[in-house]
Amino acid sequence: MGRSLTDPIADAAVPAELALTGDLARPALLTVRDLLSWPQHRVRVSFECATSGVRHHRFEGPLLHDVLSAAGPVFDPARRKDRLRFLIAVTGADGHHALLSWAEIDPDFGGAPVLLAAGMDDAPLTRSGPQLVLPQDRCGARYVSGINAIRVDGRYGF
């Protein structure tokens, strides 16, 4: 699944990395190459960008749910609905942030097909890093480019 957060970096010229942290059994550092090991989904999207109008792109990558599930979110197995209190904070290298709920991406609830895109318009995102893609969003504000961190946080109890 990628490198452990405690593994040393061997080369300063490595591709962009994404840190999966928070309430996870297996936090990790992932690259676009790592994301290619998951089943790939392809979507064509149109969304409104505040600075450049309507944008049209083709994205390819794994579902966010699949990648985060592999990292082992620490849901309480005795409480079926425990996962409903988990939030997902996504941060891009440029400081752009977006927040999602686990229920939004969980197939048992919202099941939104949110991607961690490894490619855009037939070009790999190896150097810039993956992009968060929300095909269901009309506005592009939650499309985060160059993702360098995703934090899963379950501190929000009822």
Side-chain angles (χ1 to χ4, degrees):
M1 171 168 144
R3 293 189 308 111
S4 161
L5 287 177
T6 60
D7 290 347
I9 296 175
D11 179 6
V14 296
E17 291 183 319
L18 151 62
L20 296 181
T21 64
D23 296 323
L24 300 169
R26 293 173 296 283
L29 288 172
L30 302 175
T31 64
V32 165
R33 175 181 234 148
D34 296 323
L35 295 177
L36 295 173
S37 67
W38 275 276
Q40 300 295 293
H41 299 261
R42 291 169 186 81
V43 295
R44 286 182 178 270
V45 298
S46 296
F47 58 88
E48 290 182 33
C49 179
T51 58
S52 58
V54 177
R55 307 292 301 255
H56 305 277
H57 292 289
R58 292 179 316 279
F59 290 100
E60 176 176 337
L63 292 174
L64 176 62
H65 181 267
D66 292 348
V67 174
L68 293 181
S69 291
V74 291
F75 305 139
D76 180 348
R79 295 177 50 211
R80 181 177 174 271
K81 297 179 187 176
D82 187 53
R83 56 197 156 146
L84 297 179
R85 68 184 171 90
F86 282 70
L87 296 178
I88 303 161
V90 180
T91 304
D94 63 356
H96 187 131
H97 300 280
L99 189 62
L100 296 91
S101 70
W102 187 271
E104 194 172 351
I105 64 169
D106 191 308
D108 287 340
F109 298 99
V114 177
L115 294 186
L116 276 179
M120 179 174 99
D121 299 329
D122 301 319
L125 296 170
T126 306
R127 292 285 173 214
S128 61
Q131 180 163 337
L132 185 68
V133 175
L134 298 101
Q136 69 278 11
D137 283 12
R138 184 188 60 80
C139 172
R142 292 197 301 172
Y143 279 63
V144 178
S145 300
I147 299 170
N148 60 10
I150 298 178
R151 179 169 179 75
V152 176
D153 195 332
R155 290 180 291 170
Y156 304 95
F158 315 140

